[in-house]
Amino acid sequence: MAATDPEDGGLQYGYEQTLMYGRYRTELQEFARQQGTQIREQARLRQDNDSLSPSCFRGSWWKRGKLFIKDHIGEDWIFLLILGVAMAFLSFFVDYTIEQCLLVHIWLYSSLTTIAGVQYIIWIIYPCILIMFAVGFTHIVSPHAVGSGIPEMKTVLRGVSLPNYLSLRTLVAKSIGLVASVGSGLPIGKEGPFVHLASILGHNMSQLLTNINSSYMNESRTSELLAAACAVGVSSNFAAPIGGVLFSIEVTSTYFAVRNYWRGFFAAVCSAFVFRLMSFWIKDEATITTLFTTHFRVDFSFDLQEMVAFCFIGAMSGLGGGLFIWFHRRIVDFRRRYRTSRIGRVLDYNRFVFPVLWTILAMTLMFPRGLGRFQGGQNTYKSILGMFFSNITWTTAVNDPEANADQRAEAEMIVESFGETNIFVSLIIFIIVHFIMTAVSVTLPIPAGIFFPVFVLGAAFGRLIGEAMAVWYPEGIVHLNILPGGYAVVGAAAMAGAVTQTISTSVIVFELTGQITHILPVMVAVLIANGIVQYLQPSIYDSIIMIKELPYLPDLKGNRSYRLTVADMMRTNLYFISYGSTYADLRKLLKKNFRSYPLVDSPTSMILLGSVQRSKLEQLFHAHILAIHDERQQAIVGAAVAQDTDNESIASQEAENGNGYEEVDQDASAVSKTGMGTPQRLKRTLARTSTRFRSLFTRNDTNFDAVDNGISPALLEASLREDDAMLQETVDLASCQIDPAPFQLVESTSLYKVHTLFSLIGLTHSYVTAVGRLVGVVTLEELASSVISAHRGSSYQRLAAAESNGSMELEALTNPSAATQSASASER
């Protein structure tokens, strides 16, 4: 890019060249004041225009109502109230529909026939139909609905944009697909998907309210509302507002603004209250209760010597959680590694093969007249969890003379559900089978959560230890009898906390059971489990982020990271725009998929003046191309005027005879050229849906969400080559919006400080300057690579070599669709 005289374009931006690389002649404060005045004036004119048209038809009541809505409907508490209530309704009806699907499955098995072979066929066909529907529906409507949703929301809250991930199409696909996938009976949960659903609902509500309250256009405000929506997703699922808020903070945020605390709690309480209130109204419950009510002794819940067993549960849960995360990642790696093998080609022939085959295998393992009779195969996971939390001792309650009739009946029902054999063998089989089934099921291309299945796994392990303690100490260790249900509560919290690497699972389990009698054992076990698993593996959500290659910033560990600086990680191969840049230079610049570009005064001095968004530069470039096109069309029309005059009578005669050309609709032509009309948009939507439907039965890795702008790239390139001479004009930046103060660092800034700034503010990139000169740029990818390299103790020479070769492209950050495409590819 050629340099230019600052007097040509620099002074109009309030900048002039000096010996110290330049200075701003117009103060930033005055510039900001002028911009603010201009924005307010535009808003006033827009408000006046809006108020003119209805004033002729409506009275003053319309104006007062409009002002009331504008002043009050956009307030946070109303927004959060609507969000919480809406998610409560959605959660209840999804939960109710899933429950009915599971009951239909059990009814079809037990009521239609007693022939074992026919029962087996019915047992596996019903889930296969639901899984096939979930796979096909989510793929056709929105592939972004696949998976949990928490890893992607963790990325979105970091400031990274994932196109179409928070769209209404994804809301529909996630809701319906979740009903089918969980209703099939596979060991998958719905807490993660509900976090995603609440975030989609909150995002679209904020977009809807931007026309009423302009504060919803603020990026920071949107991020705060999304954080509150994540809390609503958890609380509406488990009716656990306190644990929901804490859990959402732990799994989605590195730093959390305290001012956003009340938003999360308010929305979560509204959602949890309405969710349980609907159960009271529709399910005819006696009162508003917890989901898994327990009745443990309050005065003396456990002996102090039992803390050894509780610590053992925490340690084993930490090891089990690390093993689960490792096994889940190995499954994904195995499928990727052997995708080109004969078996891999068979499994990937279309999207249905692997999910259907795995569903058949899983349902075979759960068949009630087979191995499923040792696992409670005829019961839902909700009822199985209630059995694990039961207050009775399975091994002794049936023959216990002190037990009442209800306790003996409950014990007989539980023992019958688990095969009427040795209860320890049944629990061990349940743990092993469901450990494998859960790890594989959450890799299917369907909406699937992870929290609830591992929660049940932990409850099963805790129940196993509790029943063993009851056998070893039938009279209790010191005072009273052992409560195996309390061990199940401890195991559930520890296992779920280990896999997700959160402490708030202890609070969730208290809200689920309605008792805090085991608060100390639960907290100790969760802390031990977290301490062990954090040494072994990242959390399951961070592991999925790495699997899907989403923008990821790991936490700092060790002392090496404190000695590294920006100079060790920044990129020096820069792409920028200057006052002397031509449209040909701009064309080359836009081929690089960056979200913004630095503005410098000239390529020689490299004084950083600001930053320009890619969208603004694209508007400038397209406007210039259209101007060239208009000039050429005017020249053609001017040359053809004489010929048109001579042929006018001939054309009129042909039109009268019906042999002439038909009249062209100018509006339709404009719509066809721009590709932005409703028919064209509908046509593109139908074409994309048809392509997705055909891809269900083929191995196709096409990015179906690529934007079709209606312009052929080949024709565009051809037209640009013809107009190369006209592209040598200097780019006019007078009408382009420029950020005069982009975030900047210096070369001596430590890695620790850079990591803190990126995490706290949500930065995606920062420019590096030296006495005002642009010398480099640090992006999220360089920072993440530097942190990982520091953890491994490797040299930064490898990063510098990769940078000089131009191999470090920020596809995940600067081209969000590439990140989404790689995530979809990993799910496939």
Side-chain angles (χ1 to χ4, degrees), residues 408-423:
R408 283 196 295 269
E410 183 181 357
E412 290 174 357
M413 184 268 295
I414 293 174
V415 172
E416 182 181 355
S417 299
F418 284 86
E420 297 183 355
T421 57
N422 190 315
I423 198 64

Side-chain angles (χ1 to χ4, degrees), residues 181-196:
S181 58
V182 180
S184 67
L186 288 179
I188 51 181
K190 54 189 178 65
E191 184 175 59
F194 265 94
V195 171
H196 188 190

Side-chain angles (χ1 to χ4, degrees), residues 374-386:
F374 303 110
Q375 310 170 54
Q378 275 190 274
N379 298 278
T380 63
Y381 280 98
K382 186 176 181 179
S383 61
I384 290 176
L385 184 60

Side-chain angles (χ1 to χ4, degrees), residues 19 245 322 482 558 716 779:
L19 295 179
V245 173
I482 302 293
L716 181 59
T779 65

Side-chain angles (χ1 to χ4, degrees), residues 509-538:
V509 79
F510 298 146
E511 293 181 283
L512 283 177
T513 60
Q515 285 189 296
I516 59 172
T517 55
H518 287 75
I519 183 171
L520 185 60
V522 167
M523 291 299 300
V524 171
V526 169
L527 290 173
I528 293 175
N530 270 268
I532 293 176
V533 75
Q534 288 179 11
Y535 181 77
L536 300 175
Q537 295 288 336

Side-chain angles (χ1 to χ4, degrees), residues 281-337:
W281 285 338
I282 298 178
K283 294 184 178 181
D284 296 329
E285 294 184 359
T287 184
I288 297 179
T289 59
T290 57
L291 291 179
F292 302 98
T293 305
T294 58
H295 304 282
F296 302 141
R297 294 189 302 265
V298 178
D299 53 347
F300 200 90
S301 301
F302 59 91
D303 287 319
L304 182 60
Q305 289 78 1
E306 294 182 60
M307 287 299 299
V308 177
F310 294 137
C311 293
F312 175 76
I313 291 176
M316 294 303 298
S317 296
L319 295 175
L323 179 62
F324 180 87
I325 299 169
W326 175 86
F327 184 59
H328 171 266
R329 191 161 56 248
R330 293 286 77 81
I331 292 172
V332 177
D333 293 341
F334 178 82
R335 290 195 61 195
R336 288 178 176 178
R337 186 179 303 112

